[in-house]
Amino acid sequence: MGAVEIKPGIYWVGAVDWSIRDFHGYITPNGTSYNNYLILDKHVTLVDTVKHDFSHYTIDNIRALTDPAKIENIIINHIENDHATSIEHIMALARAAVIHITERGKKGLDRFFDTSKWKFRIVKTGDTLNTGTKTITFLETPMLHWPDSMMSYVKEDKLLISQDAFGQHLASSARFDDEYCDQCSTVELEHAVRDYYANILMPFGPLIKAKLAEVQKLGLEIDMIAPDHGIIWRRDPGKILKMYLDMANGKADLRVVIIYDTMWQSTEYMTTPILEGIRAAGVDVEVIKLRATPTSIAIKRFWESRAMLVGTPTLNNIMFPSVAEFLSHLRGLRPKDRIVGAFGSYGWGGGAVKEAYGELKKMGLEAVEPGVEVLYRPSAEDEKKCFEFGKQFAEKVIEYHKKF
Ligand code: FEO
């Protein structure tokens, strides 16, 4: 993809990764893009780079517009490898450039590269860079989602270059939301936003709320948001800001997701009467088997639903390994504002359901106890217990959902 002018004198010069399907364990069925931006002004300025194996794409895009040796400033909003690992190749061409970066960004970059010959300017919130006709203001966003993270705001163009925030893992020939929605659909785009938020930004809801409030307090006028992945928001940037605020405030659908695994189908057999009990209470429900589903998809469906039931057989007195792995992954994402429960089958001693509740409580989620456990295959009597468990759980979900 060639360079695209997104604002007068400001160009997307990134790369589209059509084929990536595993982004450090996060499944990306639609690929992604690594967005960076070139400001052609009196002082030529590059904002971010791209993943190292895409260096030639961004360098070709820059060359089509100017000689890379003319780059005077490089802003590094975020040092994660998908955005900063082309810096060596860029610095080899733009030897005199000054890198504008946060203090923690510089410390991180020093660990990845020999930076001894590079020139740096350490920046913090409120510092500015004048490129000639444009003023760029820096806004630190530590832990959104790395300690080094910041955003860059171009006042004259009302443009927020937001690094990972507001991004989506989407490979597309469209650069803007309005182009993408002509090609595909708004619903698909919204799904991509939620997928990204659930798998990457879920732990940072309180920080997101605080940062959005700070942006409001600073009175920044924003008519375009350009993230480092996916499409650029120009039709209605307020929409993506509202989606983020809603997600940070715990917005979810009134739905139960049953996430389970099974050894000899006994736990699986329990899902049907539980599902029927949930439906009988009038609540939407879906079922996800862990070994048949990438973890990042299970995480997204968890995040979109108000409630989760975890199903696990007991194996060697503890949870089934895939369920233990899923709950450990979920705990790291520090979920909030969800109501949960557990069920499962056992052969002799049991113990997995108790352990699952232990994990869920460590996350601080609202746990509905007791769960339901059955010996070997569920009997007709057990199926009634499962149905009642599902129904009563769903009734509690309805009450809990009213808080939001
Ligand atoms: Fe897209 Fe945090 O890197």
Side-chain angles (χ1 to χ4, degrees):
M1 291 286 304
V4 175
E5 190 169 32
I6 65 164
K7 285 278 186 179
I10 304 180
Y11 295 81
W12 175 91
V13 288
V16 179
D17 187 345
W18 298 96
S19 59
I20 190 168
R21 293 292 177 269
D22 182 336
F23 193 97
H24 58 52
Y26 166 16
I27 299 304
T28 48
N30 301 309
T32 193
S33 69
Y34 313 109
N35 300 339
N36 59 335
Y37 304 93
L38 185 70
I39 301 174
L40 286 186
D41 204 351
K42 184 176 172 201
H43 306 291
V44 177
T45 298
L46 181 68
V47 185
D48 293 323
T49 75
V50 298
K51 193 177 171 188
H52 58 93
D53 40 351
F54 289 80
S55 302
H56 57 291
Y57 288 104
T58 195
I59 288 169
D60 286 351
N61 282 338
I62 294 166
R63 278 206 172 107
L65 296 165
T66 189
D67 177 354
K70 293 186 177 163
I71 296 172
E72 292 181 43
N73 302 295
I74 299 174
I75 295 167
I76 296 289
N77 281 323
H78 179 31
I79 62 163
E80 193 166 3
N81 295 26
D82 51 330
H83 304 297
T85 43
S86 288
I87 188 72
E88 268 184 323
H89 303 288
I90 304 279
M91 288 305 287
L93 299 169
R95 292 177 187 278
V98 175
I99 297 173
H100 303 257
I101 191 167
T102 62
E103 188 174 358
R104 284 188 273 194
K106 164 77 167 55
K107 282 184 184 154
L109 216 58
D110 290 346
R111 304 295 295 183
F112 289 118
F113 302 102
D114 174 5
T115 62
S116 55
K117 294 195 172 60
W118 299 350
K119 284 182 267 183
F120 286 93
R121 175 188 170 219
I122 302 300
V123 298
K124 54 188 187 320
T125 295
D127 288 347
T128 59
L129 170 67
N130 189 284
T131 62
T133 64
K134 298 178 193 293
T135 311
I136 302 169
T137 303
F138 302 111
L139 178 66
E140 290 172 279
T141 56
M143 296 320 299
L144 282 178
H145 68 122
W146 274 27
D148 59 281
S149 300
M150 70 170 182
M151 299 184 188
S152 299
Y153 175 71
V154 187
K155 184 176 163 209
E156 292 72 11
D157 298 293
K158 301 179 185 172
L159 166 67
L160 183 67
I161 301 177
S162 61
Q163 46 99 13
D164 278 331
F166 313 119
Q168 338 84 50
H169 284 311
L170 276 182
S172 170
S173 59
R175 292 278 61 83
F176 299 99
D177 49 354
D178 48 301
E179 293 172 349
Y180 185 83
C181 293
D182 277 354
Q183 291 174 14
C184 300
S185 79
T186 306
V187 171
E188 196 177 316
L189 189 52
E190 287 175 4
H191 270 294
V193 169
R194 283 197 289 271
D195 187 27
Y196 190 92
Y197 187 104
N199 280 283
I200 296 177
L201 297 173
M202 193 195 298
F204 309 116
L207 285 172
I208 287 168
K209 274 200 279 187
K211 200 46 70 175
L212 289 175
E214 191 181 330
V215 166
Q216 205 165 29
K217 202 167 153 193
L218 289 169
L220 303 185
E221 283 184 85
I222 297 171
D223 78 3
M224 182 182 288
I225 298 177
D228 279 1
H229 294 290
I231 62 88
I232 295 164
W233 304 94
R234 77 172 170 190
R235 180 160 62 187
D236 181 8
K239 181 174 174 170
I240 181 69
L241 290 170
K242 180 167 185 321
M243 273 187 84
Y244 263 55
L245 199 55
D246 283 347
M247 288 188 283
N249 280 326
K251 187 176 178 186
D253 296 331
L254 177 56
R255 182 196 307 116
V256 179
V257 59
I258 298 174
I259 296 180
Y260 80 102
D261 218 324
T262 196
M263 195 168 160
W264 289 112
Q265 277 72 54
S266 297
T267 300
E268 188 164 86
Y269 283 155
M270 296 174 75
T271 62
T272 300
I274 291 173
L275 176 148
E276 286 168 351
I278 294 166
R279 289 294 301 151
V283 175
D284 190 16
V285 55
E286 73 172 308
V287 179
I288 289 178
K289 180 179 176 179
L290 281 169
R291 277 178 300 154
T293 312
T295 302
S296 50
I297 292 175
I299 293 287
K300 174 175 178 263
R301 297 307 286 157
F302 162 83
W303 178 244
E304 290 177 327
S305 308
R306 178 60 68 206
M308 171 178 71
L309 285 175
V310 177
T312 175
T314 294
L315 178 64
N316 299 326
N317 300 112
I318 59 173
M319 283 186 283
F320 200 67
S322 57
V323 179
E325 184 186 343
F326 170 74
L327 289 179
S328 168
H329 188 119
L330 185 61
R331 182 150 62 90
L333 290 168
R334 302 201 292 275
K336 289 185 179 56
D337 305 323
R338 302 295 185 274
I339 182 167
V340 292
F343 64 95
S345 61
Y346 63 97
W348 45 99
V353 169
K354 186 174 171 204
E355 198 182 34
Y357 271 108
E359 280 298 303
L360 294 167
K361 285 192 222 168
K362 272 189 221 164
M363 297 180 216
L365 299 173
E366 179 96 2
V368 176
E369 293 186 271
V372 57
E373 275 191 287
V374 306
L375 176 66
Y376 293 123
R377 283 286 153 89
S379 63
E381 197 53 37
D382 288 329
E383 287 187 357
K384 278 189 206 151
K385 272 198 308 192
C386 288
F387 179 91
E388 280 309 313
F389 172 67
K391 188 163 175 283
Q392 285 168 21
F393 179 74
E395 285 162 359
K396 290 198 164 69
V397 172
I398 292 168
E399 281 308 304
Y400 184 77
H401 189 67
K402 288 177 184 164
K403 290 194 209 170
F404 297 92

